[in-house]
């Protein structure tokens, strides 16, 4: 099993954590949540020397998905995720991008919708898909069991949880997703999350730390 590497690339005025993830041995990888600033993303890919084979989306919000259509065309790779319940968000990315100042935002339809129990992968890095609604109805998290890490988008942050006061959000559903899907992964699991101002540029935290100290989970 090859070692996974991850590089956070903050993009858009929201400082969203676009993530370049790859297999150390083969340098084959995926881009997660290319929300915008594609020149910056492509520069990071080049500097890392990674061949990107997939684009993965955790959910359909403007800061996470607005650059996916354009990057797909440039790299000629498929888009996987999020869950189909976020279609209504993906269908209005161009409008939302204009409203929130994200240049070049385009609507997108993924090549593959994801659902609970699916697996996605690049090279020999395999991730279980967890459907975690509540921040958005179609939010998904990705869990690499062998190396004990997860990518959770805007579901869970260090000491906080995702917003639910936005269209399609529901706080009770969100807390249920975290307790039923993320906490059972295990206290030793570290996770990357969606925004650097809420979780920094490296692993945000561990499931165990959040189980013990996150005020929204007590
Ligand atoms: Zn979001
Ligand atoms: Zn976000």
């Amino acid at each position: 099993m090859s070692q996974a590497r991850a590089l956070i690339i903050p993009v858009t005025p929201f400082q969203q954590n676009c993530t370049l993830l790859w297999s150390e041995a083969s340098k084959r990888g995926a881009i997660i949540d290319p929300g915008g600033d594609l020149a910056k993303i492509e520069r990071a890919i080049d500097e890392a020397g990674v061949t990107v084979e997939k684009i993965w989306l955790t959910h359909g919000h403007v800061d996470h998905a607005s650059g996916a259509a354009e990057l797909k065309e440039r790299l000629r790779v498929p888009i996987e995720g999020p869950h189909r319940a976020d279609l209504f968000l993906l269908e209005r990315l161009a409008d939302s991008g204009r409203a929130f100042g994200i240049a070049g935002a385009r609507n997108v339809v993924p090549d593959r919708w994801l659902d609970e129990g699916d697996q996605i992968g690049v090279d020999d890095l395999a991730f279980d898909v967890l459907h975690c609604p509540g921040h958005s109805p179609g939010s998904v998290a990705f869990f690499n069991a062998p190396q004990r890490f997860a990518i959770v988008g805007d579901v869970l942050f260090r000491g906080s949880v995702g917003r639910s006061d936005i269209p399609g959000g529901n706080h009770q559903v969100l807390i249920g997703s975290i307790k039923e899907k993320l906490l059972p992964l295990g206290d030793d699991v570290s996770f990357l999350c969606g925004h650097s101002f809420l979780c920094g540029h490296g692993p945000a935290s561990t499931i165990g730390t959040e189980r013990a100290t996150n005020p929204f989970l007590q």
Side-chain angles (χ1 to χ4, degrees):
M1 178 180 62
S2 76
Q3 189 65 34
R5 296 276 313 273
L7 175 70
I8 301 280
I9 310 156
V11 297
T12 80
F14 296 86
Q15 290 293 289
Q16 193 272 116
N17 280 343
C18 173
T19 301
L20 175 60
L21 179 87
W22 72 95
S23 158
E24 177 69 13
S26 69
K27 297 267 189 180
R28 292 160 56 195
I31 279 279
I32 303 166
D33 288 357
D37 298 333
L38 295 190
K40 187 177 182 184
I41 293 172
E42 290 190 295
R43 200 158 53 238
I45 294 169
D46 285 347
E47 285 173 5
V50 171
T51 302
V52 169
E53 298 181 345
K54 305 272 180 67
I55 295 170
W56 294 339
L57 298 178
T58 63
H59 64 299
H61 282 156
V62 64
D63 48 330
H64 294 254
S66 290
E70 176 80 25
L71 191 63
K72 170 192 160 85
E73 287 180 5
R74 292 193 196 177
L75 300 180
R76 299 173 187 274
V77 299
I79 299 172
E80 299 180 329
H83 186 279
R84 187 183 296 275
D86 270 6
L87 175 61
F88 75 107
L89 295 168
L90 299 174
E91 284 177 328
R92 63 181 193 214
L93 289 171
D95 287 342
S96 305
R98 273 189 290 278
F100 290 104
I102 296 180
R106 283 171 53 181
N107 296 350
V108 67
V109 176
D111 298 278
R112 178 186 173 192
W113 295 109
L114 297 178
D115 206 345
E116 180 76 16
D118 284 347
Q119 269 213 337
I120 56 173
V122 67
D123 193 23
D124 63 350
L125 301 176
F127 290 79
D128 299 320
V129 173
L130 306 160
H131 182 208
C132 297
H135 171 66
S136 74
S139 283
V140 289
F142 308 131
F143 174 50
N144 181 272
Q147 299 184 52
R148 313 301 295 159
F149 79 97
I151 293 162
V152 305
D154 286 354
V155 173
L156 178 65
F157 296 105
R158 180 197 297 158
S160 188
V161 298
R163 290 177 61 171
S164 50
D165 58 335
I166 42 183
N170 181 311
H171 185 71
Q172 287 314 113
V173 170
L174 176 66
I175 298 302
S177 289
I178 295 168
K179 290 188 171 176
E180 289 159 25
K181 305 285 180 69
L182 298 185
L183 297 190
L185 298 179
D187 285 353
D188 62 320
V189 170
S190 61
F191 64 91
L192 297 172
C193 68
H195 292 274
S196 53
F197 56 87
L198 288 164
C199 53
H201 292 90
S205 182
T206 65
I207 294 293
T209 299
E210 298 313 306
R211 184 203 303 279
T213 65
N214 190 310
F216 293 92
L217 303 177
Q218 304 311 306

